[in-house]
Amino acid sequence: MNRTHRFTLSALAAGLLTLAGVAQAQTPPAQEKGPFSFFVTSVGSGQGADFGGLAGADAHCQNLAAAVGAGDKTWRAYLSTQAINGQPAVNARDRIGTGPWYNVQGGLVARSVSHLHGDVHEEARIGNALNWRSALTETGAFVKRSGDTPNEHDIITGSTPDGRAFPLDAGDRTCKNYTSSAEDGAVQVGHFDRTGGVATALSWNSAHPSRGCSLPKLNSSGGAGYLYCFAAK
């Protein structure tokens, strides 16, 4: 074998090794998997933002989870309530357990309450793993996002970005604590797909208030009355 052929084969081998190294470097690490403990509801209440209160919303999550064989866990709707009618405010972050939470396919959504809300600077900088790919329904289906027909990316939360209740001077942000399906009123919603036309659109839990409490009003701003459900234990 002459010198030219030896050089060509050596260069080819080196090139193949380089390509193999690049391919290996670009291969993502195996995704962490865990037990099913988070979903977006596949259906709403049928009454807009009226779930019969917090207990009714929790029951909605529990029933949907039971229908897919996960009823042995305690499921809670990610909802805050305001301090009205003599009842104290309730913070969504305080009622969903401690995590970690995984979707129906085992994909990580958040490791803890702090990670979910970005309480620590580093957690806020990186963000949780809740997005349109991970925010699956209890059946494993994708939810229609911005750009789909219809857009259903508004998820009812009634919460501030840190997962807490709005003060009363902010106005109604819970559709009377999830007991109203009126044309007026409002409930705070988040965007599971982290997109939209407002400054806060990237927020998964506190993007904007709805235009009203009825299902048509929720529809009009890109929602279908869906909830986030977390396994508290």
Side-chain angles (χ1 to χ4, degrees):
M1 182 179 294
N2 61 39
R3 181 178 180 183
T4 299
H5 285 165
R6 286 197 301 271
F7 174 79
T8 300
L9 289 174
S10 297
L12 178 60
L16 290 173
L17 287 173
T18 300
L19 288 174
V22 170
Q24 184 176 14
Q26 291 180 345
T27 301
Q31 185 183 29
E32 177 183 333
K33 297 291 184 180
F36 175 39
S37 47
F38 165 84
F39 64 94
V40 176
T41 59
S42 59
V43 295
S45 69
Q47 301 295 322
D50 183 0
F51 286 86
L54 205 56
D58 289 344
H60 187 59
C61 288
Q62 193 73 42
N63 291 337
L64 291 176
V68 295
D72 57 328
K73 299 174 183 177
T74 300
W75 293 87
R76 298 272 173 78
Y78 182 90
L79 296 174
S80 296
T81 62
Q82 292 175 281
I84 59 176
N85 299 325
Q87 298 297 315
V90 174
N91 300 321
R93 63 181 292 141
D94 297 335
R95 58 190 315 273
I96 58 172
T98 58
W101 297 283
Y102 303 86
N103 64 23
V104 71
Q105 293 183 350
L108 178 69
V109 171
R111 297 184 182 281
S112 64
V113 172
S114 178
H115 180 212
L116 183 65
H117 295 94
D119 291 346
V120 179
H121 175 74
E122 186 66 12
E123 292 172 335
R125 185 182 69 80
I126 297 173
N128 61 44
L130 198 159
N131 55 50
W132 73 268
R133 293 182 180 86
S134 64
L136 304 176
T137 71
E138 75 280 0
T139 66
F142 286 109
V143 182
K144 289 184 175 63
R145 56 188 173 128
S146 180
D148 291 338
T149 303
N151 173 19
E152 297 177 343
H153 72 169
D154 287 356
I155 310 298
I156 294 172
T157 69
S159 300
T160 62
D162 61 358
R164 295 184 167 91
F166 280 93
L168 289 180
D169 60 12
D172 182 15
R173 295 298 183 96
T174 62
C175 284
K176 298 182 179 178
N177 286 343
Y178 319 105
T179 63
S180 174
S181 59
E183 295 301 298
D184 60 355
V187 65
Q188 193 76 0
V189 300
H191 290 168
F192 78 88
D193 58 355
R194 310 292 189 104
T195 189
V198 295
T200 54
L202 296 180
S203 177
W204 68 274
N205 69 338
S206 198
H208 60 83
S210 67
R211 296 170 179 170
C213 298
S214 70
L215 185 56
K217 287 295 186 180
L218 296 180
N219 293 158
S220 71
S221 62
Y226 296 156
L227 304 173
Y228 293 122
C229 299
F230 290 79
K233 56 183 178 179

